[in-house]
Amino acid sequence: MTAAGRTVVVTGAGSGIGRDIALSFAAEGCTVIINDVRLDAAEQVGGEIEASGGTAVAHGGDVADEASIQSLSRLARRQSAPVDVLVNNAGLADSLTPTIEQELGDWQRVVDVCLRGTYLCSRQFAKDFFLPQARGRIVNIASIAGVVGLPMRNAYSASKAAIVMMTRTMAAEWAGRGITVNAVAPGYIRTPMLDALVAAGRLDEAVLRRRIPAGHLGEPHNISAAVLFLSSDAAGYINGVSLPVDGGWCAYGAAGDAFALDGA
Ligand code: NAP
């Protein structure tokens, strides 16, 4: 779907959705620059890509740290081809504590990784690659939590809602310069982040499934498919949108369950 030979940067690609996005671009013949806060996780995914004949470069660094994003851009500059696509995927779950009990530092860290990280990466790669080459694609990973209010997710929901709006503001600013900026808003997707919340008793999978019209959680490849489409030539005139990929979760507004589980 995405032309072979392109160079793609994916943040937070050492796990879950980001890992699947990186593997999917590699399967299309793209060179993938894999960022993760844990270098070993980035290297592991890079190793998987190299083992299947692809090309990958690993970068360890925190997306909330400007110096680290500058080093990611310098690493990309050292590759032989320009960067074509940036996927701002790195994110952190909220502490899921009642508002009046949440530590301000926990709130700030979620905002820094989700929102500041998306801002810093977009700004850096637009300045260093997309604006000078008058071409580029940015795909941000938002969330259904940025579309509707979910209790005890102030930092996460506010950050994701801000990403939806920043997607529009950057698209509006750069559309005339050959750049598209779009977002994908995942619903509940089976990843280590979600598994950890279920294991800790913070989320109940059966309750989630009853609220999803499709009746099941999404898989990382559902998100990768949307990201690859928004990065493709076919999506060249789509700009500033946030596409829910959620099994119908955002569409459902009736009272009661959206899906009847067997035996429920
Ligand atoms: P995940 O499995 O936890 O993967 C996220 C990756 O990002 C991890 O490898 C994580 O490293 C890394 N990361 C965390 N902070 C970082 C930082 N400051 N700089 C660079 N990398 C960092 O989570 P996921 O479920 O795949 O989530 C990926 C994206 O999808 C996030 O933006 C999330 O908000 C969004 N999303 C997920 C769901 C869902 O249901 N899973 C739903 C809606 C939106 P560590 O493991 O070391 O923290």
Side-chain angles (χ1 to χ4, degrees):
M1 190 186 286
T2 296
R6 289 189 177 175
T7 299
V8 180
V9 175
V10 187
T11 68
S15 167
I17 292 170
R19 170 181 172 274
D20 196 87
I21 292 170
L23 295 176
S24 299
F25 274 115
E28 297 284 324
C30 300
T31 296
V32 190
I33 300 174
I34 299 160
N35 156 272
D36 200 274
V37 70
R38 290 178 294 125
L39 177 60
D40 62 325
E43 286 175 338
Q44 168 105 22
V45 176
E48 286 181 63
I49 290 173
E50 300 272 348
S52 51
T55 308
V57 182
H59 174 266
D62 180 351
V63 293
D65 174 32
E66 188 172 14
S68 145
I69 295 314
Q70 288 165 344
S71 89
L72 177 62
S73 179
R74 282 195 301 275
L75 179 69
R77 174 72 63 207
R78 289 200 291 276
Q79 308 313 305
S80 51
V83 173
D84 300 288
V85 181
L86 166 68
V87 184
N88 287 308
N89 165 80
L92 204 60
D94 217 316
S95 55
L96 288 177
T97 41
T99 299
I100 61 171
E101 290 171 20
Q102 187 173 38
E103 296 289 339
L104 189 53
D106 291 342
W107 185 92
Q108 188 66 56
R109 180 64 183 154
V110 174
V111 173
D112 284 348
V113 174
C114 293
L115 180 57
R116 179 183 157 98
T118 298
Y119 174 73
L120 286 177
C121 291
S122 301
R123 190 172 77 150
Q124 194 72 46
F125 281 84
K127 177 166 151 293
D128 294 349
F129 293 94
F130 303 149
L131 288 168
Q133 68 202 23
R135 177 174 54 85
R137 297 295 172 87
I138 299 176
V139 183
N140 298 321
I141 303 300
S143 170
I144 56 170
V147 181
V148 297
L150 300 179
M152 298 192 289
R153 292 170 178 86
N154 287 305
Y156 188 77
S157 284
S159 301
K160 295 297 188 178
I163 287 171
V164 169
M165 189 49 72
M166 202 163 67
T167 297
R168 292 183 189 147
T169 56
M170 288 182 179
E173 182 177 340
W174 294 332
R177 312 281 299 272
I179 301 169
T180 69
V181 187
N182 292 294
V184 174
Y188 290 96
I189 308 298
R190 197 178 295 284
T191 68
M193 178 192 277
L194 186 125
D195 289 343
L197 292 170
V198 170
R202 299 300 189 91
L203 292 176
D204 181 327
E205 190 171 330
V207 172
L208 293 181
R209 288 181 56 203
R210 286 203 295 269
R211 176 59 183 79
I212 302 168
H216 59 87
L217 302 185
E219 298 291 337
H221 68 82
N222 298 131
I223 306 306
S224 303
V227 171
L228 262 66
F229 168 67
L230 290 171
S231 307
S232 71
D233 289 343
Y237 202 59
I238 299 175
N239 219 339
V241 307
S242 293
L243 175 68
V245 179
D246 62 359
W249 198 95
C250 284
Y252 188 76
D257 291 348
F259 183 83
L261 293 185
D262 289 344

